[in-house]
């Protein structure tokens, strides 16, 4: 078994089409000296094709200091979600992509390049698997043991699949969720309403801007002041304060005037949320996006300073974990109290209810997850988080696509509002990018339209088209995306695996299969795809198939689960279901 610091090997194909030879390439798993990473821009490439170039640039973009939470440690977001297993692995991936032929496929095993095989031009250039463990051993304890041994890494969702685009990636999904909550509970309007949540990191940092874009006021709580400062710098958050009194003074005035103001409070949710209940301060909407999916490396226990907590994490991981779980229980108890007092309360998918339940909070599931509460009807139509990135590095290319999508879907009120607001409020991190929610049929239509713009030179370089793993047919996550499925199929993991196989067969540029994203090791299985619009007719064929089939399996998944709206949609759109609808 390899240990940190040992030299392992990666087998790289070096032969012809008829003869396969492998050379052993040393990969030192020790962390090399850190040099900031920034993806190349423009239309000059250093790889043998745009598929490889795009994969390389997106890997680098994940670790751009404007994008990643802790790029020095290869951590992109979500506690310990990494883009590569070590810096030596990162450099080996980059070097391999530069030499990869247009009919070869690189295999990446939990952030380490392990082999290159000759496939065909239509095949993905990269296949990625992250954090996957055999069921019986799929838990944090075993994962941490294997990670310490240098054998795996946590890929989160879009960190280890090289399609993270900074906080904007979750802003739009959060915007969709808040907008859906507004429609369900507040007549579609959130002006003069207060949203409270925890977590201001790579995922949670999207919340203040998403909230104010819907017209609401927002209070975000985080123990790490640097995370809040980063949101101030990017314009995602308006104010940073160190006391609840100061936060409430600002917010009460803003709510009264119906101003959409966001405040970041340096504090611990396990202290602040119960205190809100004790004071009788009831938010209109209450949720949480702390990194509770990882009790050791993500969540921070209360009752100690942030610095002391970080020290305890290193010196006594077991004690830290126990204190972290106790804090989650207190945190959820506070949320339950506020729910009883009238707050619309939901879990945003970080598994905090599960850990609180295990810690004795027997009614932890009294508030629902956001997917069954608000998002599932969208999933039934193959709707989900669709994102694209300008490899030119030119913001003007994204502006062209903004105009295109507004012209193509003028009837979509929420989409139009989002694009208009995003153009004004979103600051690009790393390579310019955009995200919105599109459904079955729309994704392929828009992808082909962007490919045509590249072909005609109206966009300066190819566009990368991808999505979050949080999508209609690409994830099994019983405490999040597949919570409370109609037929009880919450934990069936066949669907994300079929999704990855289908996207591979359809011609995606790279495909990934992960375990544990969003909610932690053992609690989810999910898959991702990325496809490059390079302006060629060949890629147009692949784009049409991938962007039709990828959301199509989401429609099929919900038909199979018995959702009438999915059955009607599939029949209307001609999605073939062998055993009827």
């Amino acid at each position: 078994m390899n240990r940190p610091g040992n030299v392992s090997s990666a087998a790289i194909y070096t032969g012809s089409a008829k003869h396969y030879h492998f050379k052993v390439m040393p990969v030192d798993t020790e962390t090399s000296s850190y040099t900031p990473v920034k993806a190349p821009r423009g239309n000059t490439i250093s790889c043998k094709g745009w598929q490889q170039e795009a994969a390389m640039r997106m890997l680098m973009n994940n670790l751009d200091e404007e994008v990643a939470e802790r790029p020095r440690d290869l951590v992109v977001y979500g506690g310990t979600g990494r883009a590569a297993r070590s810096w030596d692995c990162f450099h080996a991936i980059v070097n391999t992509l530069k030499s990869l032929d247009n009919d070869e496929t690189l295999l990446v095993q939990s952030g380490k390049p392990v082999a290159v095989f000759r496939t065909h031009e239509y095949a993905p250039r990269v296949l990625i698997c992250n954090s996957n463990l055999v069921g019986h051993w799929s838990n944090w304890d075993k994962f941490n043991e294997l990670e310490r041994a240098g054998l795996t890494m946590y890929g989160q969702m879009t960190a280890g699949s090289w399609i993270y685009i900074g906080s904007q990636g979750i802003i739009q999904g959060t915007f969709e969720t808040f907008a859906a909550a507004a429609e369900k509970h507040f007549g579609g309007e959130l002006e003069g309403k207060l949203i409270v949540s925890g977590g201001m990191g790579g995922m949670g940092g999207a919340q203040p801007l998403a909230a104010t874009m819907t017209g609401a006021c927002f209070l975000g709580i985080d123990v790490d002041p640097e995370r809040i400062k980063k949101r101030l710098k990017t314009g995602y958050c308006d104010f940073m304060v160190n006391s609840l009194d100061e936060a409430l003074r600002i917010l009460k005035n803003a709510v009264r005037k119906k101003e959409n103001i966001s405040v970041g409070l340096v504090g611990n949710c396990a202290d602040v949320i119960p205190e809100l209940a004790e004071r009788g301060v009831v938010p209109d909407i209450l949720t949480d996006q702390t990194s509770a999916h990882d009790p050791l490396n993500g969540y921070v226990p209360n009752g100690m300073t942030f610095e002391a907590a970080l020290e305890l994490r290193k010196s006594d991981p077991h004690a830290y974990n126990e204190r972290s779980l106790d804090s989650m229980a207190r945190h959820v108890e506070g949320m339950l109290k506020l729910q009883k007092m009238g707050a619309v309360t939901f879990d945003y998918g970080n598994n905090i209810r599960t850990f609180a339940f295990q810690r004795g909070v027997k009614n932890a599931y009294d508030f629902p997850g956001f997917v069954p509460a608000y998002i599932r009807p969208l999933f039934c139509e193959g709707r989900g988080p669709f994102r694209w990135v300008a490899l030119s590095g030119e913001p003007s290319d994204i502006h062209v696509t903004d105009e295109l999508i507004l012209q193509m879907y003028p009837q979509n009120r929420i989409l139009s509002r989002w694009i208009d607001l995003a153009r004004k409020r979103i600051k690009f991190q790393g390579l310019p990018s955009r995200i919105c929610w599109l459904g079955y049929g729309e994704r392929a239509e828009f992808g082909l339209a962007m490919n045509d713009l590249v072909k005609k030179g109206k966009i300066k370089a190819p566009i990368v088209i991808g999505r979050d793993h949080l999508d209609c047919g690409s994830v099994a996550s019983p405490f999040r995306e597949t919570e409370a499925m109609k037929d009880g199929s919450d934990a069936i993991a066949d669907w994300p695996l079929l999704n990855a196989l289908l996207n591979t067969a359809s011609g995606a540029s790279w495909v990934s299969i992960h375990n544990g994203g969003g909610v932690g090791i053992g609690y989810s299985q999910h898959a991702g795809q990325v496809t490059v619009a390079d302006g060629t007719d060949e890629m147009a064929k692949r784009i049409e198939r991938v962007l039709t089939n990828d959301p199509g399996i989401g429609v099929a998944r919900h038909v199979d689960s018995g959702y009438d709206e999915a059955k009607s949609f599939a029949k209307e759109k001609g999605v073939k279901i062998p055993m009827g609808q």
Side-chain angles (χ1 to χ4, degrees):
M1 181 178 289
N2 293 323
R3 301 293 176 186
N6 287 357
V7 175
S8 56
S9 63
I12 306 296
Y13 169 80
T14 61
S16 66
K18 294 183 178 179
H19 299 91
Y20 289 83
H21 305 285
F22 291 86
K23 62 182 179 181
V24 176
M25 299 184 66
V27 178
D28 190 341
T29 58
E30 287 186 348
T31 301
S32 303
S33 58
Y34 172 69
T35 302
V37 175
K38 202 169 189 66
R41 270 70 168 160
N43 55 18
T44 300
I45 65 176
S46 59
C47 297
K48 294 184 177 181
W50 269 110
Q51 312 299 307
Q52 303 93 307
E53 181 75 17
M56 183 190 73
R57 291 191 189 189
M58 292 306 297
L59 166 62
M60 291 178 169
N61 194 62
N62 267 17
L63 294 169
D64 190 311
E65 291 190 332
E66 293 182 6
V67 178
E69 285 190 1
R70 302 200 321 269
R72 180 181 294 273
D73 302 320
L74 292 156
V75 171
V76 182
Y77 74 94
T80 58
R82 281 189 276 168
R85 195 184 304 182
S86 69
W87 280 108
D88 292 296
C89 289
F90 167 83
H91 292 301
I93 292 170
V94 170
N95 291 335
T96 304
L97 287 171
K98 287 184 176 181
S99 64
L100 195 69
D101 286 335
N102 292 316
D103 61 352
E104 292 181 323
T105 297
L106 166 64
L107 305 183
V108 179
Q109 181 263 316
S110 288
K112 175 184 175 182
V114 292
V116 172
F117 288 99
R118 191 169 299 286
T119 52
H120 54 83
E121 292 186 358
Y122 199 87
R125 296 283 70 84
V126 189
L127 294 173
I128 302 169
C129 284
N130 284 314
S131 321
N132 296 290
L133 299 173
V134 174
H136 181 74
W137 291 272
S138 189
N139 56 70
W140 276 116
D141 287 342
K142 188 63 178 179
F143 174 82
N144 289 333
E145 174 190 331
L146 294 169
E147 186 179 44
R148 286 192 296 270
L151 297 173
T152 190
M153 74 167 201
Y154 186 47
Q156 255 294 350
M157 287 191 162
T158 54
S161 57
W162 312 342
I163 189 61
Y164 186 67
I165 58 172
S167 295
Q168 184 190 176
I170 192 64
I171 286 176
Q172 212 277 334
T174 309
F175 174 87
E176 289 276 354
T177 302
F178 290 161
E183 293 286 342
K184 186 172 182 177
H185 303 290
F186 303 105
E189 300 296 334
L190 288 178
E191 286 80 3
K193 305 298 183 184
L194 174 63
I195 300 174
V196 173
S197 185
M200 298 277 276
M203 297 291 283
Q207 296 178 107
L209 184 52
T212 56
M213 289 173 80
T214 61
C217 293
F218 178 81
L219 172 63
I221 305 150
D222 201 299
V223 296
D224 185 356
E226 293 304 315
R227 289 185 173 185
I228 301 176
K229 289 177 183 177
K230 187 171 184 178
R231 307 312 155 202
L232 292 174
K233 183 178 179 182
T234 58
Y236 286 14
C237 187
D238 298 315
F239 299 99
M240 173 178 171
V241 299
N242 292 298
S243 76
L244 180 58
D245 287 335
E246 179 66 7
L248 293 178
R249 184 190 66 79
I250 297 171
L251 289 166
K252 285 179 178 179
N253 190 49
V255 166
R256 181 175 56 83
K257 294 181 177 180
K258 294 188 176 182
E259 296 175 340
N260 52 342
I261 295 296
S262 58
V263 177
L265 169 63
V266 181
N268 193 296
C269 286
D271 297 321
V272 177
I273 298 299
E275 186 174 350
L276 287 174
E278 290 170 9
R279 292 188 182 203
V281 178
V282 183
D284 296 285
I285 294 176
L286 173 66
T287 187
D288 181 64
Q289 278 198 47
T290 57
S291 294
H293 65 276
D294 186 348
L296 177 60
N297 296 299
Y299 198 83
V300 178
N302 69 333
M304 60 177 67
T305 65
F306 180 54
E307 293 73 21
L310 296 182
E311 183 58 37
L312 180 63
R313 180 184 287 172
K314 294 178 182 178
S315 63
D316 193 341
H318 177 73
Y320 182 98
N321 195 74
E322 292 297 300
R323 293 190 65 155
S324 187
L325 293 172
D326 287 340
S327 297
M328 286 187 207
R330 178 173 166 80
H331 183 167
V332 169
E333 286 173 342
M335 294 178 74
L336 290 164
K337 288 179 182 178
L338 287 170
Q339 182 190 31
K340 286 184 178 180
M341 296 168 73
V344 172
T345 306
F346 59 88
D347 182 314
Y348 204 84
N350 57 7
N351 220 21
I352 193 169
R353 291 174 301 169
T354 300
F355 289 121
F357 180 82
Q358 292 173 358
R359 215 61 175 176
V361 184
K362 298 306 180 185
N363 61 334
Y365 294 104
D366 279 4
F367 56 88
F370 76 105
V371 172
Y374 307 115
I375 302 300
R376 187 146 296 141
L378 302 179
F379 281 177
C380 288
E381 297 182 357
R383 198 166 294 279
F386 180 95
R387 61 182 64 175
W388 61 100
V389 182
L391 293 178
S392 66
E394 297 288 341
S396 60
D397 279 353
I398 294 299
H399 297 156
V400 170
T401 64
D402 286 339
E403 291 293 337
L404 175 66
I405 202 167
L406 289 173
Q407 292 170 10
M408 291 179 69
Y409 307 109
Q411 75 286 355
N412 190 325
R413 180 179 59 84
I414 292 178
L415 171 62
S416 295
R417 182 181 183 186
W418 160 255
I419 294 295
D420 286 339
L421 288 168
R423 295 167 81 172
K424 299 171 184 174
R425 301 288 304 274
I426 298 293
K427 293 185 178 180
F428 296 134
Q429 296 169 261
L431 290 170
S433 61
R434 185 68 77 221
I435 184 172
C436 69
W437 278 44
L438 290 178
Y440 178 86
E442 295 172 338
R443 300 192 201 189
E445 185 179 41
F446 184 56
L448 288 170
M450 286 195 290
N451 192 64
D452 191 55
L453 289 179
V454 176
K455 182 178 182 178
K456 293 176 179 177
K458 294 183 179 180
I459 291 177
K460 300 178 181 66
I463 296 287
V464 165
I465 302 170
R467 57 161 171 76
D468 198 341
H469 293 203
L470 187 172
D471 200 15
C472 54
S474 62
V475 60
S477 185
F479 296 120
R480 200 162 88 163
E481 290 85 355
T482 55
E483 178 180 341
M485 293 297 290
K486 191 171 185 178
D487 63 347
S489 61
D490 305 25
I492 298 294
D494 296 337
W495 293 99
L497 301 181
L498 286 170
N499 176 271
L501 291 169
L502 181 61
N503 280 319
T504 299
S506 301
S509 298
W510 65 93
V511 177
S512 55
I513 297 173
H514 296 193
N515 168 33
V519 288
I521 295 298
Y523 291 100
S524 67
Q525 191 76 52
H526 43 97
Q529 69 81 16
V530 184
T531 305
V532 181
D534 64 4
T536 64
D537 293 339
E538 175 61 29
M539 282 311 301
K541 296 176 183 177
R542 293 168 66 174
I543 289 166
E544 193 277 332
R545 291 179 183 174
V546 171
L547 297 185
T548 298
N549 297 344
D550 184 41
I553 195 174
V555 176
R557 195 265 183 272
H558 288 83
V559 169
D560 192 71
S561 298
Y563 289 91
D564 291 336
E565 52 265 64
K567 294 177 183 180
S568 299
F569 187 84
K571 186 176 182 179
E572 176 189 345
K573 299 297 182 181
V575 180
K576 296 180 180 180
I577 309 295
M579 295 186 69
Q581 300 168 29

